[in-house]
Every structure is written in C-alpha cells, then in structure tokens.
Amino acid sequence: MTRTDPCTLDIVVPCFNEEAVIEQTHQRLTAVAQGMAAVQATLIYVDDGSRDGTFLKLRAIAARDSRVRIVALSRNFGHQYALTAGLDASTGDAVAVIDADLQDPPEVIAHMVARWREGADVVYGVRATRRGESAFKRGTAHLFYRLLQTLGNREIPADVGDFRLLDRRVVDAMRTLPERDRFLRGLVVWVGFRHEGVAYERQPRAAGQTKFPFGRMLSFALDGIFSFSTVPLRLVSYFGFFVSALSMAGIVYAFYIKLFTVGVVPGWAAQWIGTLFLGGVQLLSLGVIGEYVGRIYGEVKSRPLYVVKERIGFERQA
Ligand code: UDP
Ligand code: MG
C-alpha cells in the first residue's frame, strides 16, 4: 500500500516547564512542517501543568500561528498522560509524537512521513547514538530495554522512545485501550499493524533540564515492566517452590538431629538463617503482589487519565 494523496499530519509535543526551549522548538517544527510537500501539518502542544512561562509562550505562539493548537492540562499529569491527551486531541491522517527539547531532531519526521506513505503504519525512531547523555543514563536505559524484552513483550524494540509517527487507525486503536498504566511504547506494539524503524542520532537537550531524574526514571521503568508482564508473579511462585523444597530438607535435617544426636543444642544458626531467609522472601513476594494489587486498585477507581483546563486554537479546525 502507498499513500499518495495530500494528507493531514498532527505533531504532538508534550511540554512540561520547557520555556527555555519552546520557541526554538517551534521554529524547527515549523520549518519541517512547511518543508513537506502535500502535507498539511498541525502542531498540538500539550502543556502538562507547567509551572514556568511555558503556557504564556505557547499562547503567544498560537496567537501568531494558525497552525498551532494547545491542550493545557489542569496540573502535571506526566509525560505519558500528556501524550495521551495529545493523541486524543488529534484528527490528522497521521500523528507524529516528539519531545519538546529537540533531543529528537524534528527533521526526522519528514523521513517518517515518507515511510508512512510507503505503507508503514507505525514508524518509530531508533536511537542509533545518544549524545550528551551520561554513561549512567545510557547504561540503565540499556538494562531497562533488555529486561523489558525478557520479562515483558519480546516485540517492544530496544532503544526506542516515544518519538514516532502513527497512522490514524493505530491512534484510534490505541484510544480504545482504557488502561491507566499508559506505557505507550508497549501499547503501540500491542495494537499491531505494520511497524518500521528509522535510525537517528539522539541529540543533547537544546536547553532546560531533564524532567526525569533517577527516581522518576525508575518508577517509569517499573511501570513498563509491571504493566506488560506477569513474569514477576511467576518468579515469586518459582521462588516459593524453591524455598519450600529447601525447607523440606531443613525439616528432615531437624528430625535427624532430634532423633540421632544427644546432649548438644545444635541448630541455632540454622534457625536464624531460616527465619531471616523466609522473612525476606515473604516480604519480597508480598511487595511484588502489592505492585499488582496497587495497579488493580488504580484501574478499579477508573478516574479519567487527565483533566483538560483549556483548549486553544481548535475552533480554527475546518
Ligand atoms: N514531559 C511532560 N510531563 C512531565 C515530564 C516531561 O510532558 O511530567 C515532557 C517534557 O517536556 C519533554 C518530554 O516529556 O518534552 C521528555 O522529557 P525530558 O526531555 O525531560 O526527558 P528525558 O529526555 O530526559 O528522558
Ligand atoms: Mg529529553
């Protein structure tokens, strides 16, 4: 299949405290939007409850540029929810998703559109290199993607973030998934369709600071694993079997001591070790189960994923 007709493209940009870079980002995106033949592009900025001047800057941009839409959320909901809000607001034949900090070069979107025209339904950016990121971030990211593939979905590609282009059908399919754990790079694999990657060089942040310090990164990684895998529960069961087998051996040993030795009070070390070990294993297992129970609790409340405070520019839509 090839898509040759003129088409509409929405570019969704989640922004949280990006006042330092947003003007520059808008310029680069505008250049890309203007440079594509037969593509009518709309920029959808999602203000994820920024506490700096991001919203004011976005509003000024929208006032002078009819290509711009703004969805302002009522508070900071987080990157994946901001993306969800952007996808929900989109109407284009294709939707590109890109970070506001220019780490993902906007020019790659033109390549993505070309691949989409050739028939790909999802074109994701593969980070060939990550410039300007610490060895620690690169190392932990590497570990995370490998763990995710082993425990979760083997088809979630490694070194792929949220920088991608989605066909309308894919966006619509993703919007039917009601879950709160919005690990979008997993959900997009789940819905299927034809996926292709384009390699690009991940750049250093153009300005401003990362909104993902280590704690938030870790929590995001755990979300990814727990929402796409029940392997941790399975591991707990295996571990349970293993420990039970060990306990059986311990019981046999205790009987042996009781029946065939006299006088001494042996075994206090074994007792201690057993108690501590079992206590540790049980707490760990409870913790893993708790992760899933907590997620069930979140789903059961079925609150909306985000709250919109203001929408700007959408009245311009034909
Ligand atoms: N972001 C967001 N809400 C948040 C945190 C981040 O919308 O709560 C946006 C942020 O403005 C940026 C993108 O998500 O456009 C990626 O964030 P960042 O660049 O800080 O993450 P990193 O690239 O360091 O992993
Ligand atoms: Mg970034």
Short mmCIF file of all heavy atoms in Angstrom, two decimals, residues 65-90:
data_model
loop_
_atom_site.label_atom_id
_atom_site.label_comp_id
_atom_site.label_asym_id
_atom_site.label_seq_id
_atom_site.Cartn_x
_atom_site.Cartn_y
_atom_site.Cartn_z
N ASP A 65 0.33 32.04 14.97
CA ASP A 65 0.49 30.93 14.03
C ASP A 65 -0.78 30.08 14.00
O ASP A 65 -1.12 29.43 14.98
CB ASP A 65 1.70 30.09 14.47
CG ASP A 65 2.06 29.05 13.42
OD1 ASP A 65 1.21 28.73 12.57
OD2 ASP A 65 3.20 28.55 13.46
N SER A 66 -1.45 30.09 12.86
CA SER A 66 -2.74 29.40 12.78
C SER A 66 -2.58 27.89 12.72
O SER A 66 -3.56 27.15 12.77
CB SER A 66 -3.49 29.87 11.52
OG SER A 66 -2.73 29.50 10.39
N ARG A 67 -1.34 27.43 12.63
CA ARG A 67 -1.08 26.00 12.59
C ARG A 67 -1.10 25.37 13.98
O ARG A 67 -1.01 24.15 14.11
CB ARG A 67 0.32 25.80 12.02
CG ARG A 67 0.46 24.76 10.95
CD ARG A 67 1.93 24.53 10.69
NE ARG A 67 2.57 25.68 10.09
CZ ARG A 67 2.73 25.84 8.78
NH1 ARG A 67 2.30 24.93 7.97
NH2 ARG A 67 3.33 26.91 8.30
N VAL A 68 -1.18 26.23 15.01
CA VAL A 68 -0.92 25.74 16.37
C VAL A 68 -2.19 25.50 17.18
O VAL A 68 -3.14 26.29 17.12
CB VAL A 68 -0.01 26.75 17.11
CG1 VAL A 68 0.12 26.39 18.58
CG2 VAL A 68 1.36 26.80 16.45
N ARG A 69 -2.22 24.40 17.90
CA ARG A 69 -3.28 24.11 18.87
C ARG A 69 -2.61 23.89 20.22
O ARG A 69 -1.49 23.38 20.28
CB ARG A 69 -4.03 22.83 18.52
CG ARG A 69 -4.41 22.68 17.06
CD ARG A 69 -5.74 23.32 16.75
NE ARG A 69 -6.05 23.20 15.35
CZ ARG A 69 -5.68 24.08 14.41
NH1 ARG A 69 -4.99 25.16 14.74
NH2 ARG A 69 -6.00 23.90 13.15
N ILE A 70 -3.33 24.23 21.28
CA ILE A 70 -2.80 23.97 22.62
C ILE A 70 -3.84 23.21 23.44
O ILE A 70 -5.02 23.57 23.44
CB ILE A 70 -2.48 25.28 23.38
CG1 ILE A 70 -1.50 26.14 22.56
CG2 ILE A 70 -1.88 24.97 24.74
CD1 ILE A 70 -1.29 27.50 23.18
N VAL A 71 -3.40 22.16 24.10
CA VAL A 71 -4.22 21.50 25.11
C VAL A 71 -3.50 21.72 26.42
O VAL A 71 -2.38 21.25 26.61
CB VAL A 71 -4.34 19.98 24.84
CG1 VAL A 71 -5.17 19.32 25.93
CG2 VAL A 71 -4.93 19.71 23.46
N ALA A 72 -4.12 22.47 27.33
CA ALA A 72 -3.48 22.72 28.62
C ALA A 72 -4.14 21.83 29.67
O ALA A 72 -5.35 21.88 29.86
CB ALA A 72 -3.63 24.19 29.00
N LEU A 73 -3.33 21.01 30.33
CA LEU A 73 -3.87 20.15 31.38
C LEU A 73 -3.95 20.93 32.69
O LEU A 73 -3.24 21.92 32.89
CB LEU A 73 -3.00 18.90 31.55
CG LEU A 73 -2.80 18.07 30.27
CD1 LEU A 73 -2.04 16.77 30.59
CD2 LEU A 73 -4.13 17.73 29.62
N SER A 74 -4.81 20.46 33.59
CA SER A 74 -5.09 21.22 34.81
C SER A 74 -3.96 21.14 35.83
O SER A 74 -3.89 21.93 36.76
CB SER A 74 -6.37 20.71 35.43
OG SER A 74 -6.22 19.34 35.74
N ARG A 75 -3.06 20.16 35.67
CA ARG A 75 -1.88 20.05 36.54
C ARG A 75 -0.88 19.15 35.82
O ARG A 75 -1.15 18.71 34.71
CB ARG A 75 -2.26 19.46 37.90
CG ARG A 75 -2.77 18.03 37.81
CD ARG A 75 -2.91 17.40 39.20
NE ARG A 75 -3.63 16.13 39.15
CZ ARG A 75 -3.09 14.95 38.87
NH1 ARG A 75 -1.80 14.87 38.58
NH2 ARG A 75 -3.82 13.85 38.87
N ASN A 76 0.22 18.86 36.47
CA ASN A 76 1.20 17.96 35.87
C ASN A 76 0.74 16.50 36.03
O ASN A 76 0.64 15.98 37.13
CB ASN A 76 2.57 18.16 36.55
CG ASN A 76 3.63 17.24 35.96
OD1 ASN A 76 4.25 16.47 36.67
ND2 ASN A 76 3.83 17.32 34.66
N PHE A 77 0.42 15.89 34.89
CA PHE A 77 -0.04 14.50 34.93
C PHE A 77 1.07 13.52 34.56
O PHE A 77 0.97 12.34 34.83
CB PHE A 77 -1.23 14.29 33.98
CG PHE A 77 -2.53 14.77 34.55
CD1 PHE A 77 -2.91 16.09 34.41
CD2 PHE A 77 -3.36 13.90 35.23
CE1 PHE A 77 -4.12 16.53 34.94
CE2 PHE A 77 -4.56 14.33 35.77
CZ PHE A 77 -4.94 15.66 35.62
N GLY A 78 2.10 14.00 33.92
CA GLY A 78 3.19 13.12 33.50
C GLY A 78 3.22 12.95 31.99
O GLY A 78 2.20 13.07 31.32
N HIS A 79 4.41 12.65 31.51
CA HIS A 79 4.69 12.57 30.08
C HIS A 79 3.70 11.70 29.32
O HIS A 79 3.12 12.12 28.32
CB HIS A 79 6.11 12.03 29.95
CG HIS A 79 6.62 11.97 28.54
ND1 HIS A 79 7.66 11.16 28.20
CD2 HIS A 79 6.25 12.60 27.43
CE1 HIS A 79 7.91 11.31 26.90
NE2 HIS A 79 7.07 12.17 26.42
N GLN A 80 3.46 10.47 29.79
CA GLN A 80 2.63 9.53 29.05
C GLN A 80 1.18 9.99 28.99
O GLN A 80 0.47 9.74 28.01
CB GLN A 80 2.72 8.14 29.68
CG GLN A 80 4.14 7.59 29.73
CD GLN A 80 4.68 7.21 28.36
OE1 GLN A 80 4.11 6.38 27.67
NE2 GLN A 80 5.78 7.82 27.96
N TYR A 81 0.74 10.70 30.04
CA TYR A 81 -0.64 11.21 30.03
C TYR A 81 -0.75 12.43 29.11
O TYR A 81 -1.77 12.61 28.45
CB TYR A 81 -1.09 11.54 31.46
CG TYR A 81 -1.15 10.30 32.30
CD1 TYR A 81 -0.10 9.94 33.13
CD2 TYR A 81 -2.24 9.43 32.20
CE1 TYR A 81 -0.13 8.77 33.85
CE2 TYR A 81 -2.29 8.25 32.91
CZ TYR A 81 -1.23 7.92 33.73
OH TYR A 81 -1.25 6.74 34.43
N ALA A 82 0.30 13.24 29.11
CA ALA A 82 0.30 14.39 28.19
C ALA A 82 0.24 13.88 26.75
O ALA A 82 -0.51 14.41 25.92
CB ALA A 82 1.55 15.24 28.42
N LEU A 83 1.00 12.83 26.45
CA LEU A 83 0.96 12.24 25.12
C LEU A 83 -0.45 11.73 24.80
O LEU A 83 -0.96 11.93 23.70
CB LEU A 83 1.93 11.07 25.03
CG LEU A 83 3.40 11.41 24.89
CD1 LEU A 83 4.23 10.14 24.79
CD2 LEU A 83 3.60 12.26 23.66
N THR A 84 -1.05 11.08 25.77
CA THR A 84 -2.40 10.55 25.57
C THR A 84 -3.37 11.69 25.25
O THR A 84 -4.19 11.58 24.33
CB THR A 84 -2.87 9.81 26.84
OG1 THR A 84 -1.92 8.79 27.13
CG2 THR A 84 -4.23 9.17 26.63
N ALA A 85 -3.25 12.79 26.00
CA ALA A 85 -4.12 13.94 25.75
C ALA A 85 -3.90 14.46 24.33
O ALA A 85 -4.86 14.83 23.64
CB ALA A 85 -3.84 15.04 26.77
N GLY A 86 -2.66 14.48 23.88
CA GLY A 86 -2.34 14.94 22.53
C GLY A 86 -2.94 14.02 21.48
O GLY A 86 -3.53 14.47 20.50
N LEU A 87 -2.81 12.71 21.69
CA LEU A 87 -3.38 11.75 20.73
C LEU A 87 -4.90 11.89 20.69
O LEU A 87 -5.51 11.83 19.62
CB LEU A 87 -3.00 10.32 21.11
CG LEU A 87 -1.53 9.93 20.98
CD1 LEU A 87 -1.32 8.47 21.34
CD2 LEU A 87 -1.02 10.21 19.57
N ASP A 88 -5.51 12.10 21.86
CA ASP A 88 -6.96 12.24 21.91
C ASP A 88 -7.43 13.47 21.15
O ASP A 88 -8.51 13.49 20.58
CB ASP A 88 -7.44 12.33 23.37
CG ASP A 88 -7.34 10.99 24.09
OD1 ASP A 88 -7.13 9.97 23.40
OD2 ASP A 88 -7.45 10.96 25.32
N ALA A 89 -6.59 14.52 21.17
CA ALA A 89 -6.99 15.78 20.51
C ALA A 89 -6.69 15.76 19.02
O ALA A 89 -7.11 16.65 18.28
CB ALA A 89 -6.26 16.95 21.17
N SER A 90 -5.96 14.76 18.56
CA SER A 90 -5.52 14.76 17.17
C SER A 90 -6.61 14.28 16.23
O SER A 90 -7.49 13.51 16.61
CB SER A 90 -4.30 13.86 17.01
OG SER A 90 -4.69 12.50 17.09
#
